[in-house]
Amino acid sequence: LLLLPKDIFLVEFKPVVKIGLKENINSNKVKMCYGSKYFFNKSSCEDISSNIKVTGEVDINNVGNYVLVYTIDYKGISKTLNQTIIVYDNESPVIDFLGQDGVNKCIKGNIYEPPFKATDTQDGDLTNKVKRKIDGDYYVYSVSDSSGNKTVARRFIINNDVVPPRIELTGGSEIYLVLNEEYVEPGFVVSDNCDQDINEKVIISGTVNSQQEGTYFITYEVTDASNNYTSVVRKVIVGKQKQVIENKVVYLTFDDGPSIYTEKILDVLKKYDIKATFFVTAQFPKYLPVLNRIHNEGHSIGLHSYSHVFKKIYANENNFFEDIDKLNEVVKEHTGTYSKILRFAGGGSNRVSKFNPGIMTRLAKRVTEKGYIYFDWNVDSQDTSLTDSNKIADTVIKQLKGKQLFYIVLQHDNKIANVKSLEKIIEFGLENGYVFKPLSTNSPVVHHRINN
Ligand SMILES: [Zn+2]
């Protein structure tokens, strides 16, 4: 926001500048007037705008000092007046934190800091000028713009590292070999928020006998310095002939709605005549009636959580089922039918429930006993951290090019970027022979490794 200082008595710059003469025209004192449309001296009120010529320009979009020159011809007397207009910036820069909440203090003392961005209306990107320091339990960020407006923001320091390493399998998690075709390890990419030397820590186990038909599993495991463990498995299928992969299935899933965007998602799905799955909540009660449209248009409704408040639903098993039952009643009310499919808030592998040790292990067992089928995902759109719809679409498409026969794609209902990414994802799928289906109790299941 650009303002003129209060001590500059200027009503308009252009096209007409209102300047008045106070008291006597013969006096040397020429003053700027303000506040009224016409200017006058005490005895004779007269608009003298047309007697004034102004030269010089003020760019109110750029900070700076601008000089305006007023030439006044009045009753045969000519006077010149200079005025400096100071355009200044009183808007502070904005610091945006991206990625996870908080900064990790790693076991080796180094800090893992998720990305951030600083921007200013006048100066543009100021990210490189941000100063950081530790202040007690906080990591403090400060930045000033060229006009001296300062912004301070802070992130909580988490004194342990709870982020597990990530292993991405080069070549995908399923590989097909023709009998006697040698298995050559395609490799992996491993990364960790804290550990730099994580690469050497990956342990690969399992063998493939390419002389014998069958399904073989290669396991990749790694534990970081703070004992966060990750494992992924590659399936190697040895067959008489190369499997023809056709009609790979994509299950689009949308968590956390219905929301303000649900109808937009439904419109896109309708346009392409595609069925998807909505793992719903009651977080936005106003939109619950949309459940009816979801159901009527042939999509699946799964249970996610009524409240989506981790502290509450994972406090004990009773709370969890109370929450799910309550949600299922809402689903029944709007669709006429109960749901039998479920996705845990935070996913089956969540660590947010760690405050109640073992709860996910118990819940995974109990939901199954109660006849629910629960689904995690094998394609993460990363839409909780990405805000650019093209990047979300590209992230999904990249994973759809893997070697699995089916893909359960995690997206969130309540993110506008997702709505926009959807067309691109669907078009890629349709052009490449994928089939889109809604999840049901008969669908193939993806379960993450349970971490609690
Ligand atoms: Zn969720």
Side-chain angles (χ1 to χ4, degrees), residues 257-258 278-283 288 291 301-308 320-335 337-339 341-343 372:
F278 293 79
F279 286 102
V280 301
T281 67
Q283 293 178 100
L288 286 175
L291 290 171
I301 291 181
L303 307 168
H304 193 41
S305 168
Y306 187 94
S307 69
H308 211 286
F320 178 84
F321 285 108
E322 240 170 56
D323 173 277
I324 283 295
D325 290 346
K326 198 166 151 196
L327 177 64
N328 220 351
E329 288 303 329
V330 174
V331 170
K332 171 88 191 295
E333 183 193 327
H334 290 281
T335 66
T337 161
Y338 289 113
S339 173
I341 62 173
L342 186 148
R343 173 174 286 157
Y372 291 110

Side-chain angles (χ1 to χ4, degrees), residues 2-26:
L2 299 162
L3 293 181
L4 297 172
K6 288 204 170 52
D7 55 352
I8 289 180
F9 304 142
L10 197 67
V11 176
E12 294 173 33
F13 296 127
K14 277 183 173 180
V16 183
V17 175
K18 316 279 192 184
I19 288 182
L21 304 179
K22 198 182 169 196
E23 302 298 336
N24 194 331
I25 188 65
N26 296 317

Side-chain angles (χ1 to χ4, degrees), residues 232-280:
V232 292
V233 173
R234 193 190 318 259
K235 205 167 159 184
V236 181
I237 298 161
V238 178
K240 277 208 183 71
Q241 55 194 35
K242 203 117 191 158
Q243 292 226 3
V244 183
I245 301 167
E246 53 183 330
N247 285 347
K248 297 211 233 180
V249 183
V250 178
Y251 300 93
L252 296 174
T253 70
F254 301 93
D255 287 10
D256 294 357
S259 77
I260 188 169
Y261 303 122
T262 312
E263 300 243 33
K264 291 198 170 75
I265 294 173
L266 289 171
D267 290 344
V268 176
L269 296 172
K270 197 172 189 176
K271 178 176 160 191
Y272 293 94
D273 192 22
I274 274 169
K275 308 301 174 208
T277 305
F278 293 79
F279 286 102
V280 301

Side-chain angles (χ1 to χ4, degrees), residues 16-134:
V16 183
V17 175
K18 316 279 192 184
I19 288 182
L21 304 179
K22 198 182 169 196
E23 302 298 336
N24 194 331
I25 188 65
N26 296 317
S27 133
N28 294 331
K29 288 213 164 180
V30 179
K31 283 206 173 180
M32 310 292 259
C33 295
Y34 62 103
S36 67
K37 189 152 176 149
Y38 299 103
F39 302 101
F40 49 90
N41 64 45
K42 262 180 186 161
S43 50
S44 71
C45 179
E46 192 178 356
D47 177 4
I48 58 158
S49 301
S50 57
N51 299 57
I52 300 165
K53 271 192 201 130
V54 191
T55 53
E57 291 203 20
V58 177
D59 179 358
I60 61 157
N61 292 313
N62 278 300
V63 168
N65 292 357
Y66 301 89
V67 177
L68 293 181
V69 181
Y70 299 85
T71 309
I72 307 162
D73 283 308
Y74 186 67
K75 293 184 177 170
I77 298 164
S78 182
K79 282 201 180 292
T80 298
L81 178 71
N82 287 355
Q83 185 169 46
T84 302
I85 307 291
I86 304 159
V87 174
Y88 69 98
D89 170 20
N90 72 342
E91 193 164 294
S92 301
V94 174
I95 298 176
D96 286 316
F97 292 136
L98 313 166
Q100 68 168 54
D101 291 338
V103 166
N104 288 112
K105 192 160 182 198
C106 300
I107 204 160
K108 288 168 189 162
N110 58 315
I111 292 278
Y112 166 67
E113 196 189 5
F116 64 90
K117 223 178 144 178
T119 43
D120 183 67
T121 45
Q122 266 297 309
D123 298 356
D125 192 341
L126 288 177
T127 308
N128 290 334
K129 300 215 163 134
V130 175
K131 290 189 182 123
R132 283 108 88 197
K133 64 166 191 196
I134 293 173

Side-chain angles (χ1 to χ4, degrees), residues 201-252:
K201 292 187 180 166
V202 177
I203 298 164
I204 307 180
S205 56
T207 51
V208 175
N209 180 356
S210 57
Q211 268 99 56
Q212 188 160 351
E213 274 184 68
T215 302
Y216 302 88
F217 298 96
I218 311 285
T219 304
Y220 303 76
E221 293 171 283
V222 67
T223 304
D224 71 13
S226 299
N227 255 331
N228 300 302
Y229 170 87
T230 297
S231 75
V232 292
V233 173
R234 193 190 318 259
K235 205 167 159 184
V236 181
I237 298 161
V238 178
K240 277 208 183 71
Q241 55 194 35
K242 203 117 191 158
Q243 292 226 3
V244 183
I245 301 167
E246 53 183 330
N247 285 347
K248 297 211 233 180
V249 183
V250 178
Y251 300 93
L252 296 174

